[in-house]
Amino acid sequence: MSKSDRGPKPPKLEPSQLPPSQLPPPPWSVLVPVAEIPDIGLSQTIAARPDERKAMADLGGLPDIAAVKAELRLLPVPGGTVHVTGRVIGKVTQTCVVTLEPVENEVDEAVDVVFAPPSQIRELAETTEEDDGESEDERPDPPEPIENGAIDIGKLATDALFLGLDPYPRKPGAVFQDQVEAPNPDEHPFAALKALKKD
């Protein structure tokens, strides 16, 4: 069969358009099967290994991630959803937006996410959007999908870490300085008149 007989080549999909089965594995993955979460909830404390931190730093474009830890509480909710709360703490190295030198920052990001079976995602998301009683800041985020019967709290912690990064990291004392050039007396608007008087 020739290439022309095979039909048009399928378009290349961006990572956000790929189904979960075709996405690259997350740099930090810790799966918690939903079926193993007791009714009273489950507390989990996890810390990333050096190789996982390096992969996370590469993914986020960071010079280094010295440490990252997540303290999470998973609570089943009637209807098949799971409410995950807690915090992610980390020490990262970013690049100063002024000097382009490395600057160390600490991250302490709160986690408050609901996970739901894929079949319920659309309905729950629409319910969230239709809730006019809350402002945009108070309105909860749409639920995340429970994939293959499990919640990846490592991926969740990675997302929270990136969300808590300083968008404009700056070294202490570093300030933007506008370059101000000294005025040229020969370019003064009256310089031409002065020259004519001399002539």
Side-chain angles (χ1 to χ4, degrees), residues 148-173:
N148 299 320
I151 294 173
D152 193 340
I153 60 175
K155 180 179 181 299
L156 173 63
T158 302
D159 293 342
L161 179 76
F162 290 159
L163 186 63
L165 291 175
D166 185 348
Y168 303 104
R170 184 179 301 185
K171 293 193 70 173

Side-chain angles (χ1 to χ4, degrees), residues 127-145:
T127 301
T128 300
E129 293 176 356
E130 293 172 357
D131 190 355
D132 295 329
E134 297 178 334
S135 66
E136 289 289 339
D137 293 336
E138 297 174 340
R139 188 175 301 169
D141 294 329
E144 296 289 334

Side-chain angles (χ1 to χ4, degrees), residues 33-46:
V34 173
E36 296 180 7
I37 303 175
D39 293 339
I40 60 173
L42 178 67
S43 295
Q44 292 280 284
T45 298
I46 57 175

Side-chain angles (χ1 to χ4, degrees), residues 45-193:
T45 298
I46 57 175
R49 301 189 310 264
D51 61 315
E52 293 168 332
R53 297 199 305 268
K54 184 180 184 308
M56 293 165 66
D58 292 342
L59 178 64
L62 299 172
D64 185 43
I65 296 178
V68 57
K69 180 178 71 171
E71 299 173 347
L72 303 171
R73 177 76 177 170
L74 294 80
L75 182 65
V77 179
T81 63
V82 179
H83 189 192
V84 182
T85 56
R87 59 198 294 226
V88 173
I89 304 168
K91 293 182 179 180
V92 304
T93 300
Q94 296 181 259
T95 302
C96 176
V97 296
V98 179
T99 65
L100 300 183
E101 295 177 334
V103 54
E104 294 184 357
N105 280 326
E106 294 188 357
V107 176
D108 190 343
E109 183 71 12
V111 174
D112 190 344
V113 182
V114 172
F115 284 81
S119 59
Q120 300 181 22
I121 293 292
R122 183 170 182 178
E123 179 182 353
L124 291 173
E126 290 176 350
T127 301
T128 300
E129 293 176 356
E130 293 172 357
D131 190 355
D132 295 329
E134 297 178 334
S135 66
E136 289 289 339
D137 293 336
E138 297 174 340
R139 188 175 301 169
D141 294 329
E144 296 289 334
I146 297 173
E147 298 179 357
N148 299 320
I151 294 173
D152 193 340
I153 60 175
K155 180 179 181 299
L156 173 63
T158 302
D159 293 342
L161 179 76
F162 290 159
L163 186 63
L165 291 175
D166 185 348
Y168 303 104
R170 184 179 301 185
K171 293 193 70 173
V175 294
F176 288 105
Q177 293 183 350
D178 295 329
Q179 294 186 358
V180 180
E181 296 182 359
N184 187 344
D186 293 334
E187 296 179 357
H188 194 276
F190 296 106
L193 291 176

